[in-house]
Amino acid sequence: MAFDRERKKYPILEGAVPHGLRANAVIRLRGEGYTALQISDMVGTSVEMIEHYRRYADRKANGQVVLRDLREHKEEKIVKHWKSGKSK
C-alpha cells in the first residue's frame, strides 16, 4: 500500500511493481561491474536470483546484437541492376 501511494506521485512509475524495480536495479548494478554476491547484499535477494536476472539481461542484449547485425547486413547487401543489353 505504501508503494502504491508513492507510485501515484510519479507518473513515470505507472505500472511499476517492486519486483520489476529490483530486477532493473540488479541489471544496472551488474552492468556497473558489481559481483552477484555484492548485489545480493545490496538489494537483499539471493545470488541465484541475481544470476537469473543477469541471464535474462544477457539474453535480451544478445538478441539486440543479432537484430542490429541483421539490419546492418541487409543494408550492406549489394543490389545488382539488370543490364538492358544496349551498349552506349
Side-chain angles (χ1 to χ4, degrees):
M1 291 171 54
F3 180 77
D4 288 340
R5 278 194 308 272
E6 291 300 311
R7 183 176 51 194
K8 289 178 185 175
K9 295 177 185 178
Y10 305 95
I12 196 168
L13 293 177
E14 183 179 345
V17 294
H19 178 79
L21 294 174
R22 182 175 60 218
N24 285 333
V26 166
I27 292 167
R28 182 179 52 80
L29 291 168
R30 192 74 171 134
E32 292 176 7
Y34 292 99
T35 67
L37 186 57
Q38 290 170 323
I39 298 169
S40 175
D41 290 342
M42 285 186 234
V43 300
T45 193
S46 70
V47 172
E48 292 80 15
M49 200 62 181
I50 302 301
E51 291 300 322
H52 171 76
Y53 293 142
R54 181 193 58 79
R55 285 190 305 273
Y56 171 78
D58 288 349
R59 281 193 307 269
K60 185 175 180 179
N62 290 338
Q64 290 172 346
V65 168
V66 168
L67 290 175
R68 186 187 70 233
D69 288 347
L70 288 172
R71 278 193 301 268
E72 288 174 3
H73 179 71
K74 184 178 179 180
E75 289 173 4
E76 292 173 358
K77 195 174 185 180
I78 298 173
V79 177
K80 295 184 179 180
H81 297 281
W82 290 96
K83 292 183 180 180
S84 65
K86 298 179 182 176
S87 60
K88 292 184 177 183

